[in-house]
Structure formats: structure tokens, C-alpha cells
Amino acid sequence: MDFDRQTNIPLALVVAMSNNNVIGRGGDMPWHMSDDLKWFKKNTIGKPIVMGRKTFQSIGRALPDRDNIVVTRQSDFCHQGVTVASDLEDAIAIAEAFALHRKVQEICIIGGGEIYKQALPFASRIYLTEIDATIEGDVFFPTLNGNEWQREAKGIISKNNKNDYNARLSILTRKAD
Ligand SMILES: NC(=O)c1ccc[n+]([C@@H]2O[C@H](COP(=O)([O-])OP(=O)(O)OC[C@H]3O[C@@H](n4cnc5c(N)ncnc54)[C@H](OP(=O)(O)O)[C@@H]3O)[C@@H](O)[C@H]2O)c1
């Protein structure tokens, strides 16, 4: 897939994955990680967020203080607080308009597996949570080519009563060609 961007506002994927690239199980996230939700909020607040219809249904509501854009092929899909897009290109064009209007310099792609796969070639940044465990699941993040990305360590999450696993927080930036 290829398409022309209307602006050069960067696209960032925001994802938490296990050592074996699992991101989902049974329509939900296979872990509880309170500190990861805080990191997610910090990195997405005020920005347009693009998600697949299944991820939206798993969250169950529009996330506050962000422009929520949901990608679906269902022409009759509608939900309070959500802008509906008919494909990823449409979603990014809508997100660009929101970003320009709000004067924000990033569009966040928040999943799930189908949407990450389609958006990865266009992403210049990844807010990455690496959960330090091998976990069973049915939705996966694509394998990243380590040579293409520069990693900046941003912290760790320690396993405790609010976080199921240890995890590492990083920002990956796509290296220049
Ligand atoms: N760990 C994480 O960071 C993270 C983040 C987000 C989600 N998740 C998990 O990931 C799982 C969901 O991922 P998923 O891959 O199953 O679903 P998804 O990517 O969230 O949504 C898939 C849906 O998006 C729509 N869609 C996808 N591509 C489209 C296109 N090109 N044009 C129009 N519509 C398109 C379709 O909706 P319609 O069927 O309505 O047409 C499709 O069924 C859940 O388990 C969730 O908890 C994990």
C-alpha cells in the first residue's frame, strides 16, 4: 500500500508488546500494566489517535483529550466522540487536519495489529513498551528491523501489584536513509 501524505506531520506508533511480539489476546490486552497506561497517556494526550475498529471496541469509549479516529469498513459505524475513517489513508488525512487545527506535531497510531502493520512503513517514531515475558496471544506486532531504528531508553517498569511484568520503555526513531 502507498499513499500521498497531505503534510509532513510525523506518525508515531504507540505499542506495548511481549518478547514474542504479542500485543493482544481474545480482543483485549493480555496484561495489566498501570504504569504503561500512564506512559501511553503521556505520549498521546492532546494528539490525534488513529485506531482499528477492534481496538476501539476493546477500549469501549473515546479517550478524553485526544481526537479519536476509528478505521472501519462499516459504512454505518458511529460512536460518540469518534471520527470514522474508511481506510488508513482517510484516517491519516483526518488526523492531519486535527493536528493542524490543534497545532500539534505528531499523529499517534494506537493499534491494533492490522493497523500497526499498515502504518509501520509510514511511521517515523515508535513509543515502545517491551514487556519482559513470553506471552500467549493471537495478535502480533510486526518484527522490527533493528538496523532501521535508533533507540532512546526512557525508563523501566518494575513488576508489582499494579504491573504484571517488568518492562522497558523506549522511543525508537527511524534512521535517515
Ligand atoms: N498491546 C498494545 O499496545 C495494543 C494496542 C492496541 C490494540 N491491542 C490489541 O490488539 C487487538 C486488536 O487488533 P486487531 O489486529 O485484531 O484489530 P484492529 O487493528 O484494532 O482493528 C481491525 C479492524 O480495523 C478495520 N480495518 C483495518 N484495516 C482497515 C482498512 N485498511 N480499511 C478499513 N478498515 C480497516 C476493520 O474494521 P471492521 O471490521 O469494522 O471493518 C478491522 O476489522 C486487541 O487484542 C487489542 O487489545 C494491543
Side-chain angles (χ1 to χ4, degrees):
M1 187 186 56
D2 204 4
F3 56 81
D4 290 330
R5 295 282 312 278
Q6 308 296 311
T7 72
N8 56 7
I9 297 169
L11 296 191
L13 308 191
V14 187
V15 62
M17 67 170 160
S18 67
N19 289 338
N20 54 328
N21 283 43
V22 163
I23 63 164
R25 184 171 63 217
D28 213 338
M29 308 256 271
W31 48 70
H32 291 101
M33 299 282 288
S34 173
D35 288 339
D36 184 51
L37 296 179
K38 288 187 189 147
W39 159 256
F40 174 87
K41 184 172 180 183
K42 176 179 169 209
N43 290 317
T44 58
I45 207 82
K47 300 174 190 170
I49 53 173
V50 172
M51 72 201 90
R53 189 265 307 164
K54 292 182 183 174
T55 292
F56 174 70
Q57 284 191 324
S58 131
I59 298 170
R61 67 191 167 101
L63 291 174
D65 304 317
R66 283 148 279 194
D67 299 301
N68 289 241
I69 300 151
V70 174
V71 189
T72 177
R73 296 183 180 89
Q74 300 171 40
S75 53
D76 59 348
F77 186 89
C78 72
H79 201 287
Q80 194 182 4
V82 159
T83 304
V84 179
S86 57
D87 59 22
L88 184 65
E89 181 170 9
D90 186 30
I92 290 172
I94 293 166
E96 286 176 318
F98 276 121
L100 288 173
H101 176 68
R102 299 203 189 280
K103 298 185 170 56
V104 297
Q105 269 312 308
E106 191 167 70
I107 292 165
C108 291
I109 311 285
I110 65 159
E114 289 187 33
I115 298 298
Y116 288 138
K117 189 174 169 195
Q118 295 170 55
L120 180 58
F122 308 104
S124 50
R125 188 173 297 153
I126 303 176
Y127 295 97
L128 177 63
T129 301
E130 292 167 289
I131 310 256
D132 188 14
T134 299
I135 294 173
E136 267 187 48
D138 52 23
V139 183
F140 294 82
F141 193 76
T143 300
L144 291 172
N145 179 347
N147 297 327
E148 291 178 3
W149 299 91
Q150 179 85 43
R151 177 192 295 271
E152 186 188 349
K154 298 303 280 187
I156 57 162
I157 296 173
S158 297
K159 180 178 171 177
N160 57 29
N161 60 349
K162 289 184 179 165
N163 301 297
D164 288 348
Y165 302 102
N166 292 326
R168 185 160 68 136
L169 305 174
S170 306
I171 297 179
L172 308 189
T173 306
R174 193 184 284 281
K175 292 178 185 168
D177 289 333

